[in-house]
Amino acid sequence: MPVPVPRQRAIPAVESGQAQAVSAVGGPSENEAGRREEQACRNETTVAHDAVPSGAQRNPQGKTLNVPPVDGVHHGVSTAGLSTAAVSNAAVSTAGVSNAAVSALGITAPGASTAHTPLTLLLIEDDPTAAPIFRDLPDSDGRPIRVRTARNLTEAERLLTDDVHCILLDIALPVPGRTSAAAGDDELAVLRHVLRLAPRHAVLALTASGDAERGAEAVRVGAQDYLFKDELDGRLLSRAIRYAVERKRSDTAERRLAEGKLRAQENARLERGLLPTPLLEGSPLRFAARYRPGRSRALLGGDFYDTVRTPDGTVHAMIGDVCGHGPDEAALGVELRIAWRALTLAGLCGDELLNTLQQVLEHERDDDEIFATLCTVDIAPDGRRAGLCLAGHPAPLIARPDRPARLLPYDNNGPALGLLPGARWPRMQVELGAEWSLMLYTDGLIEGRIGEGRERLGQDGMVEMIRRQLAEGLSGEALLRAAVSEVRELNGGELTDDVAVVLLDRVP
């Protein structure tokens, strides 16, 4: 629904004596501007792929998968996927006057040439004596303005094309198909009809001398200005037309900007609503999470996570990563997260749960090459043991007071979801102890570069970083915030991949 934009009080040209020139965006036709906006929205940046480390597998989309260690050596997870450029809200601008009001006649979108674009008017007037004054009007370059004349609205519909810049309408004309009595119920029925017919065109209302009240009402309804028919002269009319065209374009730019901001706000609210709310009521575990999408100006990426506690006291945690970083991948990640929560609350876990999630992925993805890595952990009610399933995902990190932080076993790491039909995902039993911190993360945390070279942080570098930060006394949200910030600093700027980190703590 169009967003109402507050309109400045219209000053009729016969009263102002001066046309207001503003920066113009778009024109009577929004087709060209729409194509430019669509092209801007499709602008993408591709991140170069590094060489695949030994023991890793590259999928067709450039994703490197975690694989079991070879000869006792574990190779980190690597992603060098696509990074989608930010989509601008609206290709519009309402700032200042440029180049002498940007050549007040025939202004198009910024950067477009207007040197050979004459102004075209559509005069809707049933009085043939009124036409000559319009035919000798010059534009700002002294060239004659093209004028089309329609004696009624039926002819006007045929002559109204996208190259028409301004419509001059006698608001006393009757509306086709309406009796004079019915038309009298609404003195501006013909104007409303034209505004519905030409919502993107500037409209000047022509009214009888002294009928300023009716003219002002026409402006309130949607006309850009009004003129008295029997007080017209070439200079006044030329200035009024220029003013009407520029004001219409300014109004269109403001409306697009407002609509773009509204869409951005709605998208932000939607994305925030799609982020999970942990269901841990009754659990002694402490929860913290950090999320940073790789897409600029986005709140949600292809990474996803969730945590729930089932009625038997088991705490289930999950983190995953859909290959890619665009809105389609983000939507698929949300679907997988919601499916995981529903299946977990229904009592599924381990291989059965992952097999069902793979079916969901296969039905919901747009491309057969789309896959998702996943890590699930189910922590026993006493908090001392956990079951671990890995589907092409890096192993979680565990930190305990009596030993340095380390990675949980990853020997039985299964394939990513969506790669192998009929795959199996073994569930490994791990001992946690009485007091611990368990960190689940996506590969965006370990794929950032170190300095200006091609070396990446990797899992070993991440473990060393977490050990040092734990030794400094960091925990919970502060630990995650410090970890993501340091990874970004080591990378020398923003990370191109999504980053999600979940931390569960058990303190006796």
Side-chain angles (χ1 to χ4, degrees), residues 109-179:
S113 174
T114 61
H116 304 290
T117 306
L119 196 66
T120 301
L121 305 180
L122 175 59
L123 172 63
I124 309 175
E125 167 65 75
D126 60 357
D127 182 4
T129 62
I133 190 175
F134 298 95
R135 299 194 182 281
D136 297 329
L137 288 177
D139 62 14
S140 59
D141 295 324
R143 296 171 300 180
I145 297 174
R146 297 187 301 186
V147 180
R148 299 175 186 172
T149 304
R151 292 172 297 178
N152 51 55
L153 295 184
T154 302
E155 291 184 8
E157 289 188 39
R158 180 174 55 84
L159 297 175
L160 183 61
T161 56
D162 284 344
D163 61 337
V164 171
H165 295 80
C166 184
I167 299 173
L168 287 87
L169 171 68
D170 182 354
I171 56 177
L173 289 177
V175 178
R178 301 183 63 174
T179 64

Side-chain angles (χ1 to χ4, degrees), residues 302-327:
D303 291 2
F304 55 98
Y305 67 89
D306 205 349
T307 307
V308 299
R309 179 176 183 267
T310 49
D312 63 355
T314 302
V315 172
H316 302 260
M318 171 272 290
I319 195 164
D321 181 4
V322 177
C323 63
H325 314 291

Side-chain angles (χ1 to χ4, degrees), residues 378 380 385-388 409 427-431:
D378 54 279
R385 301 175 309 280
L388 171 65
R427 179 178 177 274
M428 297 173 285
Q429 189 75 20
V430 294
E431 295 294 327

Side-chain angles (χ1 to χ4, degrees), residues 218-375:
V219 173
R220 188 192 67 79
V221 167
Q224 273 59 61
D225 205 344
Y226 69 89
L227 300 169
F228 297 136
K229 290 191 292 183
D230 48 358
E231 296 182 9
L232 292 178
D233 61 62
R235 176 175 173 273
L236 172 64
L237 185 56
S238 178
R239 184 171 64 243
I241 292 171
R242 291 196 299 269
Y243 168 77
V245 171
E246 300 312 319
R247 176 172 177 176
K248 181 63 177 181
R249 290 175 176 171
S250 176
D251 289 348
T252 300
E254 291 179 9
R255 187 186 73 251
R256 288 180 183 172
L257 186 61
E259 290 174 349
K261 289 180 178 179
L262 182 60
R263 283 194 300 269
Q265 293 170 358
E266 290 175 347
N267 290 339
R269 287 195 296 269
L270 178 61
E271 289 184 324
R272 280 193 295 267
L274 293 175
L275 289 172
T277 301
L279 299 179
L280 290 175
E281 185 177 355
S283 172
L285 302 183
R286 296 184 304 186
F287 172 88
R290 194 78 174 167
Y291 194 94
R292 191 184 189 95
R295 291 185 298 138
S296 177
R297 298 185 182 180
L299 295 177
L300 203 61
D303 291 2
F304 55 98
Y305 67 89
D306 205 349
T307 307
V308 299
R309 179 176 183 267
T310 49
D312 63 355
T314 302
V315 172
H316 302 260
M318 171 272 290
I319 195 164
D321 181 4
V322 177
C323 63
H325 314 291
D328 292 337
E329 289 77 13
L332 183 56
V334 171
E335 293 178 37
L336 291 175
R337 179 187 68 78
I338 295 173
W340 176 87
R341 174 175 286 200
L343 294 170
T344 300
L345 294 175
L348 275 67
C349 68
D351 185 73
E352 186 179 11
L353 185 148
L354 292 176
N355 182 63
T356 308
L357 283 179
Q358 175 159 278
Q359 295 179 44
V360 173
L361 172 64
E362 291 171 347
H363 283 89
E364 296 297 330
R365 64 185 177 184
D366 295 329
D367 191 321
D368 290 343
E369 295 182 352
I370 298 293
F371 65 89
T373 65
L374 195 69
C375 168

